Amino acid sequence: MKSLYGVIGSPIAHSMSPLIHNNAFLQNGMDAHYHAFHVEPDQLETAVAGMRALGVTGFNVTIPHKEAIIPLLDSVEDAALQIGAVNTVVNKDGKLIGYNTDGRGYVEALKEVVGLKDKHVLIIGAGGAARAIFYTLALEEGIQLDICNRTVSKSEDLIKEFSLERIARSITVDQAAKEIKNYDVVVQTTSVGMFPQINDTPLPLVSVKNHAVFSDIIYNPIETKLLREAKALGAITQNGVHMFAYQAALAFEIWTGKFPDTDRMKKLVEEHLGGKTC
């Protein structure tokens, strides 16, 4: 019998998860199908009960359900509890278990282009994506983290919540712009620059550190204005396709025990978007 997988969210029609997961099932010779399910917030509990009743093998969780789904699950891994969000659920003998692959997926993708030991990293934003990335980056040896956010209290609260005052500090966006040349890695986690606001940037760039890496979690457009400007100043750049592929691959591995071809996943996404990854 064909195994059923999926993703729940609202909106969800734009999701490229079915594209990459169904292709991964095909490549691995698995009799399985992945479907996108539109679920409004007031229907989340009913939808989760439906997933359980139908025996869905596993599913992803996206906006706006990553936090709200936690109490509806039978158990949740420690990392996901710390982050406060679940993006992957597996059905093990009728028990729904939650995981978060966003942070790990992002860091694995970032390590494709830069080693993180003893690096000075700036995180732009303090929202849900930033939480997962901040938590996971903090595990890297010798790392120093700065977080800038329009609402400074949010980044301050994030640092205090994880008790990471020793290695992290909260700064203003203006301060980050002035100190931008000090950073080895700049991580952009906000929606600034996402389609259709493609001419916006979270902060101005005048110069960057030699061999600095600028990483943006946005993948539509393929290359944000921030990445274009950073590249013009000599930085190495990486867009959100990489994180998207790795978090998906980690979810696939949780469900199936097999780690899929992330290069193929990235290629499928960039072909769908009509561009090339950077």
Side-chain angles (χ1 to χ4, degrees), residues 102-114:
D102 285 331
R104 283 180 291 155
Y106 176 79
V107 171
E108 287 302 312
L110 189 59
K111 285 180 177 179
E112 285 189 332
V113 294
V114 63

Side-chain angles (χ1 to χ4, degrees), residues 2-6 31-35 37 54-59:
K2 188 183 290 287
S3 298
L4 179 61
Y5 297 83
D31 189 15
H33 179 74
Y34 186 106
H35 185 78
F37 298 96
L54 291 170
V56 172
T57 308
F59 59 96

Side-chain angles (χ1 to χ4, degrees), residues 52-156:
R52 192 191 301 271
L54 291 170
V56 172
T57 308
F59 59 96
N60 289 125
V61 185
T62 189
I63 294 171
H65 306 313
K66 290 185 180 184
E67 296 84 15
I69 196 171
I70 290 177
L72 304 177
L73 303 175
D74 297 299
S75 64
V76 177
E77 66 161 350
D78 288 342
L81 286 174
Q82 288 288 325
I83 293 166
V86 161
N87 79 323
T88 301
V89 177
V90 63
N91 186 340
K92 290 186 178 179
D93 302 319
K95 301 291 185 181
L96 300 183
I97 305 169
Y99 298 83
N100 188 300
T101 68
D102 285 331
R104 283 180 291 155
Y106 176 79
V107 171
E108 287 302 312
L110 189 59
K111 285 180 177 179
E112 285 189 332
V113 294
V114 63
L116 294 172
K117 182 180 179 181
D118 300 327
K119 291 297 190 292
H120 193 183
V121 179
L122 172 68
I123 299 175
I124 304 171
R131 286 180 61 86
I133 291 169
F134 176 61
Y135 173 84
T136 312
L137 281 175
L139 302 175
E140 296 296 319
E141 183 180 351
I143 202 163
Q144 182 181 343
L145 297 167
D146 290 350
I147 310 177
C148 72
N149 193 63
R150 288 176 180 173
T151 306
V152 177
S153 60
K154 284 190 69 177
S155 52
E156 290 174 342

Side-chain angles (χ1 to χ4, degrees), residues 209-226:
K209 189 173 185 177
N210 288 338
H211 308 298
V213 172
F214 276 66
S215 176
D216 199 322
I217 69 168
I218 292 171
Y219 58 81
N220 189 11
I222 285 285
E223 187 175 55
T224 59
K225 185 177 180 182
L226 177 71

Side-chain angles (χ1 to χ4, degrees), residues 120 122 175-184 186 205-210 212 214 233:
H120 193 183
L122 172 68
Q175 189 176 354
K178 291 176 183 176
E179 298 181 12
I180 198 69
K181 202 170 182 179
N182 296 335
Y183 297 105
D184 302 299
V186 176
L205 296 182
V206 177
S207 62
V208 300
K209 189 173 185 177
N210 288 338
F214 276 66
L233 292 168

